Amino acid sequence: MGRVNESLIPARFLATMAQLLAASLVYYSKDDNVRASLASNYTDSEFNDKNSEITAAVTLTVVFVTLQILSIFSGYTLFIPPLNAMHIFLNASGAVLICWFIMDTWNVTTFWYIFIFFSLINTVIEMFYMMQVLWCNSQW
């Protein structure tokens, strides 16, 4: 079991950091995605609405991934191999999709799906396991 944790823990950290970095990069390219989401004759208020939407989605993603990083450093769920494998898969997939979102200038609404499936669900499961370890003194 020790050898599994030796490779899963660093991979989890790297995948989480990759998703955080990718989400942070959206702040710099969001104007292109906002323009791709609008018709060619958009108004300033439409642009501002879509800009606010993508800013909210990216901010929530950064906050939730930051919570995941803090949970790594807390160590409460660090030695649960199935949870680590899930985090690696979801964070790495989320990072790849966010990079694809940036490069292909996808619609702003698409980022909400990336947030829900690769940040929100991941963080909710992490918090559930953390509460289980803290309150129930569950040993893995």
Side-chain angles (χ1 to χ4, degrees):
M1 190 65 122
R3 290 183 95 30
V4 171
N5 281 333
E6 286 177 11
S7 59
L8 283 179
I9 293 169
R12 176 180 171 183
F13 177 76
L14 290 174
T16 306
M17 290 303 290
Q19 187 174 9
L20 180 65
L21 180 63
S24 299
L25 289 174
V26 175
Y27 281 119
Y28 298 107
S29 68
K30 67 182 179 179
D31 289 346
D32 295 332
N33 294 93
V34 169
R35 285 189 195 94
S37 303
L38 298 169
S40 59
N41 55 350
Y42 62 87
T43 64
D44 286 340
S45 66
E46 291 173 332
F47 182 86
N48 291 336
D49 289 344
K50 285 291 184 181
N51 192 29
S52 298
E53 182 181 343
I54 189 69
T55 301
V58 172
T59 301
L60 284 172
T61 300
V62 168
V63 167
F64 279 57
V65 173
T66 302
L67 285 173
Q68 291 176 36
I69 291 171
L70 292 175
S71 77
I72 290 173
F73 290 128
S74 74
Y76 290 116
T77 61
L78 196 58
F79 298 103
I80 305 172
L83 186 63
N84 283 336
M86 181 204 68
H87 280 299
I88 292 165
F89 173 74
L90 290 176
N91 285 329
S93 300
V96 168
L97 285 174
I98 291 171
C99 290
W100 200 359
F101 173 84
I102 292 169
M103 291 188 315
D104 283 353
T105 59
W106 289 353
N107 190 320
V108 166
T109 308
T110 309
F111 198 87
W112 283 109
Y113 296 110
I114 296 171
F115 163 71
I116 290 168
F117 291 112
F118 299 102
S119 294
L120 178 66
I121 291 174
N122 207 359
T123 305
V124 167
I125 292 171
E126 174 68 22
M127 293 302 132
F128 172 76
Y129 272 95
M130 188 178 283
M131 286 188 297
Q132 187 177 5
V133 168
L134 287 172
W135 290 338
C136 300
N137 290 328
S138 176
Q139 298 294 322
W140 295 91

